[in-house]
Amino acid sequence: GQQVMQIPQYQHVQEGEDFTTYCNSSTTLSNIQWYKQRPGGHPVFLIQLVKSGEVKKQKRLTFQFGEAKKNSSLHITATQTTDVGTYFCAGLFLRNNAGNMLTFGGGTRLMVKP
Amino acid sequence: GAVVSQHPSWVICKSGTSVKIECRSLDFQATTMFWYRQFPKQSLMLMATSNEGSKATYEQGVEKDKFLINHASLTLSTLTVTSAHPEDSSFYICSASDVYEQYFGPGTRLTVT
């Protein structure tokens, strides 16, 4: 079945350092979405990328979608303690006669030392 | 943004009993709702896709008779865990979809003793 791999699993950074998490899909995606889940909370939608090679920015966050629409990355510049949480990518797969399926990557847990 | 509520937020039940979890989209109509399961420090696993007025589509490995899903209206879907066992203890999260994105509920933590 469709799989979305995400690395790294954990990342400890010093406040002010940059952070990147990567996602790879075994097959071409219709789109890719990114979510943030704070400890004890639920996933909150950050952004959706649809086009091949798309790059979107939200303040210190930069999201990229690969040319082949099989990989994506989230980069945070100058991390802050408020960035702490688990970042999930989720790839949307189009399935014939079975509806679309959003498959989550394993998540990258970001810890920021003040 | 759109709001999705879940009730209860946590529940403890005895082995062999059934538990119903409600998922509501509060300010929009969701033709499709999704049910996920999340074990501690793990990713979300899609259990089933629920369309209003029709039977839910279950993912491979998810028992239909154990996890009963009803999508009675455009704003309400329910998940009933029947004859719960300790291994069913988990965090269950629903999400509701509009045209643009999925909105997640706050989740229900189920503990089966």
Side-chain angles (χ1 to χ4, degrees):
Chain A
Q2 292 88 352
Q3 284 190 322
V4 176
M5 308 300 292
Q6 192 172 352
I7 58 168
Q9 219 175 345
Y10 304 95
Q11 184 84 60
H12 292 256
V13 299
Q14 196 71 41
E15 189 172 21
E17 291 181 340
D18 293 355
F19 159 77
T20 306
T21 172
Y22 301 90
C23 263
N24 277 294
S25 166
S26 53
T27 55
T28 302
L29 299 167
S30 177
N31 68 50
I32 194 154
Q33 301 168 26
W34 285 91
Y35 293 81
K36 178 182 179 181
Q37 185 175 22
R38 293 183 185 276
H42 61 277
V44 174
F45 176 84
L46 294 177
I47 208 159
Q48 175 175 283
L49 303 172
V50 179
K51 298 178 185 175
S52 167
E54 190 170 13
V55 178
K56 286 189 178 180
K57 290 192 175 186
Q58 286 181 352
K59 297 183 181 178
R60 294 179 293 106
L61 278 61
T62 302
F63 304 84
Q64 291 188 316
F65 200 10
E67 293 290 341
K69 297 184 72 172
K70 286 186 176 182
N71 56 71
S72 180
S73 65
L74 158 59
H75 179 82
I76 302 179
T77 305
T79 55
Q80 300 174 358
T81 54
T82 52
D83 295 325
V84 164
T86 301
Y87 292 84
F88 291 99
C89 63
L92 187 69
F93 297 90
L94 300 182
R95 301 185 296 184
N96 293 330
N97 303 318
N100 299 339
M101 178 177 181
L102 195 64
T103 300
F104 280 78
T108 297
R109 191 174 170 198
L110 172 64
M111 287 152 280
V112 180
K113 299 175 194 173
Chain B
V3 178
V4 175
S5 71
Q6 256 183 267
H7 178 80
S9 54
W10 60 271
V11 57
I12 301 172
C13 71
K14 291 186 177 179
S15 191
T17 60
S18 294
V19 174
K20 181 186 279 189
I21 303 169
E22 290 187 351
C23 176
R24 292 181 186 271
S25 57
L26 297 185
D27 50 3
F28 70 103
Q29 293 184 329
T31 52
T32 305
M33 288 186 173
F34 304 86
W35 287 95
Y36 294 86
R37 185 172 179 175
Q38 187 178 34
F39 289 106
K41 298 183 181 180
Q42 293 190 25
S43 188
L44 288 83
M45 298 298 297
L46 179 65
M47 298 175 66
T49 302
S50 166
N51 290 297
E52 185 264 339
S54 63
K55 290 183 180 180
T57 302
Y58 290 81
E59 295 302 312
Q60 198 170 9
V62 179
E63 298 176 57
K64 301 178 184 181
D65 295 332
K66 181 164 185 65
F67 299 99
L68 300 179
I69 291 172
N70 185 294
H71 195 154
S73 74
L74 288 172
T75 59
L76 172 64
S77 177
T78 60
L79 166 68
T80 302
V81 182
T82 62
S83 188
H85 290 284
E87 56 264 32
D88 298 324
S89 299
S90 188
F91 193 50
Y92 292 86
I93 305 177
C94 73
S95 73
S97 175
D98 67 10
V99 177
Y100 304 104
E101 61 186 79
Q102 281 194 30
Y103 304 94
F104 283 82
T108 297
R109 187 163 301 284
L110 170 63
T111 303
V112 184
T113 61

